[in-house]
């Protein structure tokens, strides 16, 4: 029998559990803040650039990417992953980490400084192992807007999660909602990037344009027509030109002040963003480009496509059975490599993290990459601008050990469906030095 006293005891227990969960998340957040601060802050507190860096650090504390924005098809072609490979990658939203499992590597270590990304990666991996079939996994991470996902989390996934990850997802956001509830409300509308895309949609609507119109196109010709008629003119508006010239306006893309400068180069930012958005909207068939569907539709299209590899039905069994090969760690990439033995890693994926780094950080990173690299090792990364940022910054003694695949890198850049980066770069360890 449920009595008023038992209800009070239950409420007190839940309250205590909430406090413990929030305390655990707060401790992780403080740790993440300190590590991200080391990576981003380069200037004095009260300088203009220093204030921007600290504003970015504040914005970056929570979930940034519910979906990663690097094309895994390009990655896996460039990396040529082999069955005995140890892959080391930045985790980010986890889409590519799980997608790399389809290439059948022996081991993946996924590192990140953002505790929300750590929690998201661990949730995806455990869900792959514990949800009963592809349909339930697809509902959780492709649809990601069904209350049944929260029930599945509680019954099947949560009991198998580590304590820190459970604390994160069962903790509450700034307005008091449990974070796991995001998978009942549309997780891709959440996080820093999700809110940025939502704000871009609102800005477009204020100018009389609905970005979802792009998804009405049935051919590449129609894609170009809709873009030029409806979206392109927005970038000519005075307010949009001013807004996009402000570094803080792109924090929602996860772009810190130093990367903003590299992205703009000598051009106006509105022109750069217009060019990148045109590539996203027009250079690839929308039936094959889930990045465009996310940008213009704020979620996946439904059904079987287009989807990242880890969510495709044909790959579900491989992802499920290999999920245990992934080790997710809250640690700096360089520090992780420093803890590894020489010649112990085969593939390195740095995303765009080097755009954040000064010369000392770059040299420390590449010294550890070179020390830990096995024969035939490959390094893949992206940059906001077009050229590789390494020549003239990483010491010749270290960089001379690596061959830059320039032609292949230009090809990968052209075929990267996410379209937001200026360059995709591949380096391969030389066997003649």
């Amino acid at each position: 029998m449920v009595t008023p006293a038992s209800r009070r005891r239950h409420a007190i227990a839940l309250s205590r559990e909430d406090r413990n969960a929030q305390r655990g998340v707060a401790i992780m957040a403080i740790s993440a803040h300190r590590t991200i601060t080391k990576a981003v802050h380069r200037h004095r507190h009260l300088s203009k650039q220093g204030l921007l860096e600290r504003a970015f650090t504040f914005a970056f504390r929570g979930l940034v990417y519910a979906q990663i924005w690097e094309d895994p098809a390009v990655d896996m072609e460039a990396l040529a992953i082999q069955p005995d490979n140890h892959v080391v990658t930045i985790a980010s939203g986890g889409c590519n980490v799980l997608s790399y499992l389809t290439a059948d590597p022996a081991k993946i270590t996924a590192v990140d400084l953002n505790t929300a990304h750590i929690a998201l990666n661990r949730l995806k991996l455990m869900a792959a192992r514990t949800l009963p079939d592809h349909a339930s996994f697809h509902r959780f991470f492709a649809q990601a807007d069904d209350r049944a996902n929260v029930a599945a989390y509680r019954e099947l996934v949560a009991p198998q999660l580590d304590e820190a990850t459970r604390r994160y997802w069962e903790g509450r956001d700034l307005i008091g909602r449990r974070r796991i509830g995001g998978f009942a409300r549309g997780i891709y509308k959440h996080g820093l990037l999700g809110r940025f895309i939502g704000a871009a949609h609102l800005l477009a609507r204020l100018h009389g344009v609905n970005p979802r119109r792009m998804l009405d196109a049935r051919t590449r010709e129609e894609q170009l027509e809709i873009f030029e008629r409806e979206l392109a003119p927005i970038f000519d508006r005075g307010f949009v030109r001013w807004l996009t010239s402000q570094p803080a306006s792109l924090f929602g893309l996860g772009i810190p002040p130093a990367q903003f400068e590299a992205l703009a180069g000598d051009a106006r930012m509105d022109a750069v963003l217009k060019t990148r958005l045109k590539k996203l909207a027009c250079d690839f068939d929308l039936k094959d480009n889930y990045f465009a569907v996310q940008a213009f539709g704020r979620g996946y299209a439904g059904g079987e496509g287009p989807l990242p590899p880890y969510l495709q039905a044909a790959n579900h069994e491989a992802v499920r059975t290999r999920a245990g090969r992934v080790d997710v760690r809250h640690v700096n990439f360089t520090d992780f490599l420093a803890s590894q033995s020489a010649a112990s890693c085969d593939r390195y994926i740095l995303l765009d993290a080097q755009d954040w780094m000064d010369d000392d950080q770059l040299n420390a990173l590449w010294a550890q990459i070179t020390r830990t690299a096995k024969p035939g090792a490959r390094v893949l990364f992206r940059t906001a601008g077009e050229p590789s940022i390494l020549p003239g910054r990483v010491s010749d003694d270290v960089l001379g050990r690596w061959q830059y695949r320039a032609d292949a890198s230009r090809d990968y850049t052209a075929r990267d469906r996410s379209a937001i980066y200026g360059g995709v770069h591949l380096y391969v360890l030389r066997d003649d030095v």
Side-chain angles (χ1 to χ4, degrees):
M1 178 178 178
V2 179
T3 66
S6 66
R7 287 196 190 98
R8 284 195 297 273
R9 286 195 297 271
H10 182 63
I12 291 170
L14 286 177
S15 177
R16 186 181 300 116
E17 180 181 336
D18 282 350
R19 289 197 300 271
N20 289 338
Q22 294 285 31
R23 189 178 300 115
V25 171
I27 292 171
M28 291 190 295
I30 291 170
S31 175
H33 179 77
R34 289 172 177 167
T35 49
I36 294 170
T37 293
K38 289 171 61 179
V40 176
H41 293 185
R42 304 184 187 179
H43 297 81
R44 291 182 296 106
H45 267 79
L46 297 181
S47 66
K48 178 181 178 181
Q49 201 70 5
L51 290 171
L52 283 171
E53 289 168 349
R54 284 152 183 83
F56 174 81
T57 301
F58 179 82
F60 205 82
R61 289 188 303 173
L63 180 66
V64 180
Y65 303 111
Q67 176 197 276
I68 187 172
W69 279 73
E70 286 84 7
D71 192 336
V74 165
D75 284 12
M76 288 189 283
E77 181 179 338
L79 293 166
I81 295 171
Q82 303 300 309
D84 63 344
N85 281 176
H86 178 189
V87 177
V88 184
T89 181
I90 294 175
S92 190
C95 310
N96 286 18
V97 172
L98 273 73
S99 292
Y100 298 152
L101 290 172
T102 66
D104 199 22
K107 178 181 180 181
I108 299 175
T109 302
V111 304
D112 210 291
L113 299 179
N114 185 309
T115 52
H117 291 165
I118 295 293
L120 180 56
N121 275 256
R122 289 177 175 166
L123 176 67
K124 286 182 174 180
L125 289 162
M126 189 55 69
R129 299 171 70 177
T130 57
L131 293 177
D133 50 34
H134 175 257
S136 56
F137 189 67
H138 180 280
R139 185 192 65 213
F140 208 117
F141 296 106
Q143 295 170 266
D145 60 356
D146 192 319
R147 291 183 62 85
N149 292 331
V150 178
Y153 167 83
R154 289 173 177 163
E155 295 169 13
L156 301 171
V157 183
Q160 304 302 320
L161 287 173
D162 62 278
E163 182 181 359
T165 303
R166 283 195 65 170
R167 282 181 174 176
Y168 177 82
W169 290 112
E170 294 171 21
R172 298 182 183 274
D173 61 21
L174 293 176
I175 60 175
R177 300 177 301 185
R178 292 194 187 276
R179 294 186 183 92
I180 193 61
F183 290 94
R185 299 187 297 270
I187 194 65
Y188 300 109
K189 296 179 182 179
H190 295 261
L192 194 60
L193 178 61
R195 291 191 292 272
F196 174 87
I197 293 174
H201 275 241
L202 176 60
L203 180 63
R205 285 179 175 274
L206 291 174
H207 287 88
V209 177
N210 185 354
R212 291 180 183 270
R213 278 276 295 120
M214 279 302 312
L215 302 181
D216 293 336
R218 293 294 175 261
T219 65
R220 293 274 300 279
E221 290 74 18
E222 288 184 12
Q223 291 172 217
L224 179 60
E225 179 186 343
I226 294 173
F227 177 83
E228 293 291 0
R229 184 180 67 246
E230 302 191 25
L231 292 180
I234 295 174
F235 292 91
D236 298 327
R237 304 295 179 91
F239 174 71
V240 174
R241 287 185 174 181
W242 173 84
L243 182 65
T244 56
S245 71
Q246 310 303 310
S249 69
L250 298 189
F251 284 1
L253 289 175
I255 294 177
Q259 196 177 29
F260 181 93
E261 297 169 2
L263 178 61
D266 297 326
R268 287 203 323 260
M269 182 58 74
D270 61 285
V272 174
L273 294 177
K274 180 179 177 180
T275 298
R276 302 283 171 91
L277 187 64
K278 183 177 181 180
K279 179 181 178 182
L280 177 68
C282 304
D283 282 17
F284 310 94
D285 192 321
L286 294 181
K287 293 189 292 293
D288 299 320
N289 190 2
Y290 64 86
F291 296 101
V293 174
Q294 278 280 358
F296 300 119
R298 303 194 67 195
Y300 293 123
E304 264 306 295
L307 292 169
Y310 85 99
L311 286 175
Q312 295 170 13
N315 293 326
H316 181 70
E317 185 63 15
V319 172
R320 185 188 68 80
T321 58
R322 298 168 187 169
R325 301 181 189 181
V326 181
D327 180 17
V328 182
R329 299 196 184 191
H330 179 218
V331 66
N332 175 284
F333 203 111
T334 304
D335 291 344
F336 170 74
L337 294 181
S339 71
Q340 302 300 294
S341 58
S344 60
C345 305
D346 302 275
R347 302 291 186 265
Y348 306 79
I349 304 99
L350 302 169
L351 307 185
D352 62 341
Q354 293 176 117
D355 279 359
W356 304 23
M357 298 181 183
D358 60 28
D359 289 359
D360 289 342
Q361 292 168 330
L362 278 176
N363 278 279
L365 170 64
W366 276 87
Q368 291 300 333
I369 289 175
T370 304
R371 184 186 68 83
T372 57
K374 290 182 184 178
R378 295 180 172 223
V379 182
L380 188 72
F381 62 90
R382 286 164 171 80
T383 51
E386 294 182 11
S388 169
I389 62 173
L390 302 184
R393 298 185 63 189
V394 174
S395 72
D396 292 340
D397 288 346
V398 171
L399 198 58
R401 297 282 308 279
W402 297 85
Q403 180 189 48
Y404 179 50
R405 298 287 178 86
D407 291 341
S409 295
R410 283 190 290 270
D411 180 55
Y412 298 140
T413 301
R415 292 193 287 116
D416 189 323
R417 292 170 295 173
S418 76
I420 65 173
Y421 294 102
V424 179
H425 307 283
L426 174 66
Y427 281 77
V428 179
L429 188 64
R430 300 172 65 99
D431 58 9
D432 57 351
V433 291

